[in-house]
Amino acid sequence: MPKHVKKWFIFCLTILCSTTSIGVFAKIDNAKIKSLQQMSLESSLSYEIVESLTVEVGPRLPGSPADLKTVAWAEAKFKALNYDKIYKEPVEIPVWTRGAASAEITAPFPQPIVITALGGSVATPDEGIEAEIVRFDNIEQLQQADSKLVEGKIVFIDPITERHRTGKGYGKVVGARSKGAVESAKKGALAVVIRSIGTDSDRFAHTGMMRYSDDTIKIPAAAMSVPDANQVNAMLDRGQPVRIKMNLSPASKGVASSYNVIGEITGSTYPDEIILLGAHHDSWDEGTGALDDGAGVGIVMATGALIKKHSVQPKRTIRVVLYAAEEIGLIGGKAYAKAHEKELDKHRFALESDFGAGLIWRLDTRVNPAALEDMKNIARMLEPLGIEMGHNNAGGGPDISMLPGYGVPVINLQQDGSDYFDYHHTPNDTLDKIDPAKIAQNTTAWVTFAVMAAEVDAQLRPIPERK
Amino acid sequence: MPKHVKKWFIFCLTILCSTTSIGVFAKIDNAKIKSLQQMSLESSLSYEIVESLTVEVGPRLPGSPADLKTVAWAEAKFKALNYDKIYKEPVEIPVWTRGAASAEITAPFPQPIVITALGGSVATPDEGIEAEIVRFDNIEQLQQADSKLVEGKIVFIDPITERHRTGKGYGKVVGARSKGAVESAKKGALAVVIRSIGTDSDRFAHTGMMRYSDDTIKIPAAAMSVPDANQVNAMLDRGQPVRIKMNLSPASKGVASSYNVIGEITGSTYPDEIILLGAHHDSWDEGTGALDDGAGVGIVMATGALIKKHSVQPKRTIRVVLYAAEEIGLIGGKAYAKAHEKELDKHRFALESDFGAGLIWRLDTRVNPAALEDMKNIARMLEPLGIEMGHNNAGGGPDISMLPGYGVPVINLQQDGSDYFDYHHTPNDTLDKIDPAKIAQNTTAWVTFAVMAAEVDAQLRPIPERK
């Protein structure tokens, strides 16, 4: 152990021995934290990790050859970053390939439009599907519609995604994507195409997962770009029926193996107690998944690595989990919860970074209210980074969304997602969309949280019900 | 003639009779101009015209079925706008179709990239072309390179397009696109692919015309998106050879007819003297050509229409020319110059709008310096629109670029093109990129210039040589 760290440890131990468990934390060595923060702010490690992943692997669709390349990349990267323990855990995933997608307006004003298949969609017949469209503002309006309006048509669901720092506009409209095919099929539609769930006005269609149900037929499902949705509306506004022809050739191809890849920085005092830092290593296939979720991978991998590099041994184990196959249904997240069910009571905190690389601006928690004072202590150290204390009603993140059900306290280091849905699930999700200074701020917040959270001895459970 | 216009005409005539030709102009009725400007600023006509063109026709590649639809649309629109005289003039154009384009990096890190064929390119063999790339900063570096470096490879020309209000970054690098295939073929390359000539960082490849020469073989030519060019560079930076496979299926398909479409507002005093307002009605095929050059079409068509609607009969004829096939080699512009050669001495001014729909900020001229005082008078009326007087070294615009050779004075109502090359020649050139308020400012400047220019009696020739 380097001399300065040893001194710090001795100092901390002195403090620890002289206080109660809740009180301890308030007296953690702020100077050490600040020096870690400074080092992290000056480091480009998280950016370099995303660069490495997006350049050396690129798009990483679950079940594709690139998926296993990602797993190998992740293991090698953890090793290069000097993690204490590196392992992987198998998951089984359905294989789906996108194929080609094309579409055109055939009447009243023929012209091509930009579409993409939604994840999991079946193909159209080879000759495509051509029909009049019937437009709905949103999924709710479709659900209320008379089947007679829908039968034999292509349903066009047309919700506008509102821009918001928290990304809350997404949740309001994503039902059109996930449930559109089932609701359309119920009413006899031939296919469904939605306005992209996105805040941009670029000529990219946003893909993303959709679902079928066992009791309705599977109809093809696609998204069109926002300018194309506007174009269709301009034609409908002229009072004329609009016909669309679409060709999709996705295919389901059995199952494949992938892995959650895990790296740990072993805790000094309580090595079996875990601070879980998550991100997902898969991505959609049309971009290089820089924001979704290369950024998260970079942030969480760099967090452990920078702590280790700065010769800080956290009191509890920092476990970095790179989940497989998040995009196609949280497969890695669910598998982790199952595989680690007996160990989940040792999970002190779980966090996930899966919302791009915008500046973190708020710390949200879900812990026993008695531990909130400790959270506020952490928030005080985050304040110089522009981060405020938030609410105690955090959701965590997609891959850890099942953990609060097991009583695991979750945290959100809430990012500014104002432009996240400009790029989300499009070919335009590429490295150039990441600002190196912003991802360094993210990493610094994660380093700060992780190292301080590992010191917290307070009783964190039971966590409150989510409002 | 409405009463208020009649009064204005009588007033103007009084002034005209009492002054010399240069002096006249200073005494034009500013109140009338201002009322025209107010009406124009409040009008959404130019925006509505672009909307109509981009929705009802959409992409308009020269020689495609949409090309003749555009011609019919233009004739009908001129008629609806109540132009005095409407006619069309045939041009013969080579037909080229884009086909499909795909490419991938095959080594060292296989992944798809986004490319598009350059206009006029030949196809690759059906199985594509796969080879190592050799990178050059720009066309000049390629021209100086040893053939041994290039033989049997795919040339990658990688110039950065600088963002500038005047768009001057484009001219500096567009040689990579226009001359890349010839220069690469000379040195034995199999194909050429360039970094898109564009200022954006979106996953769109920018197309645009390229040329072959008779004494070199024709090799396929494509552009890749800026993020993909960055990706290739990231691999080259790792010191590894980069291999690309590209498939292009464009085809040349003989010749077709199209038309320059012309509408006139007849001059009152000198109907045979012409103020030419130009734009081009064709577009590339991947976007809807809203900025290039739907905006220009909207601005110039609205200019004549608003003047007419406001019951102003200009002293000289305002001739609005919608040129065919600009994108593939100024075919309409050249045909117009030839067809009207004997009449060009009656062309008092020529202007073209072909740089998007950004705010106009400067009036550049190329007239006999003795007439500059008249130009400054016009500039004074443009000042409230945020437009300053510029230089007397104007180029005009692509389709009128040959007219100064015949002595025709040309004008540039210089637009802010800061973001023009973000969208230029991409699928992303769609209506949503036009700000209705900005295009109304453009139209108002054009209305002001056209109506005032029609009054100018000064000797405008000879025009100075261009510096």
Side-chain angles (χ1 to χ4, degrees), chain A residues 244-314:
Chain A
I244 284 181
K245 182 174 182 216
M246 53 194 265
N247 288 65
L248 302 177
S249 55
S252 286
K253 297 182 174 173
V255 293
S257 285
S258 184
Y259 299 88
N260 292 331
V261 188
I262 301 171
E264 293 183 357
I265 307 297
T266 309
S268 58
T269 311
Y270 304 114
D272 61 334
E273 296 190 6
I274 292 154
I275 317 297
L276 189 160
L277 313 184
H280 65 86
H281 68 64
D282 65 309
S283 78
W284 283 107
D285 49 327
E286 297 191 292
T288 61
L291 292 168
D292 186 12
D293 184 24
V297 169
I299 290 163
V300 298
M301 286 184 114
T303 295
L306 290 172
I307 291 169
K308 180 85 186 276
K309 189 181 171 197
H310 208 56
S311 306
V312 177
Q313 194 181 8

Side-chain angles (χ1 to χ4, degrees), chain A residues 51-52 54-59 109-111 201-204 227 231 234-235 238 286-288 427-428 430 432-433, chain B residues 51-52 54-59 109 111 201-204 227 231 234-235 238 286-288 427-428 430 432-433:
Chain A
E51 198 266 357
S52 169
T54 56
V55 170
E56 294 161 23
V57 182
F109 306 116
Q111 52 191 283
S201 190
D202 288 314
R203 203 86 183 282
F204 296 113
Q231 191 81 330
M235 295 185 194
R238 282 160 166 80
E286 297 191 292
T288 61
N428 212 16
T430 49
D432 50 290
K433 310 309 180 303
Chain B
E51 198 266 358
S52 169
T54 56
V55 170
E56 294 161 22
V57 182
F109 306 116
Q111 53 193 281
S201 190
D202 288 314
R203 202 86 183 282
F204 296 112
Q231 192 81 330
M235 294 184 196
R238 283 161 167 80
E286 297 192 293
T288 60
N428 213 15
T430 49
D432 49 291
K433 310 309 180 304

Side-chain angles (χ1 to χ4, degrees), chain B residues 20 54 79 103 160 191 214 228 257 328 397-398 406:
Chain B
T20 64
T54 56
K79 200 169 169 190
I160 307 281
D214 291 335
D228 287 296
S257 286
I328 62 169
Y406 295 88

Side-chain angles (χ1 to χ4, degrees), chain B residues 90-146:
Chain B
V91 298
E92 193 168 82
I93 52 184
V95 179
W96 177 86
T97 57
R98 176 172 304 283
S102 63
E104 57 192 303
I105 296 166
T106 55
F109 306 116
Q111 53 193 281
I113 59 174
V114 172
I115 69 162
T116 196
L118 296 182
S121 174
V122 296
T124 60
D126 287 348
E127 68 275 18
I129 292 176
E130 203 265 349
E132 187 181 335
I133 63 161
V134 53
R135 179 192 172 282
F136 298 99
D137 285 343
N138 48 47
I139 188 80
E140 294 77 15
Q141 199 186 52
L142 166 63
Q143 285 164 331
Q144 289 153 20
D146 190 330

Side-chain angles (χ1 to χ4, degrees), chain A residues 313-336:
Chain A
Q313 194 181 8
K315 192 168 173 181
R316 294 170 174 86
T317 291
I318 291 175
R319 177 180 290 174
V320 174
V321 184
L322 305 182
Y323 293 100
E326 186 270 348
E327 295 295 0
I328 62 169
L330 315 182
I331 292 176
K334 290 172 189 167
Y336 179 90

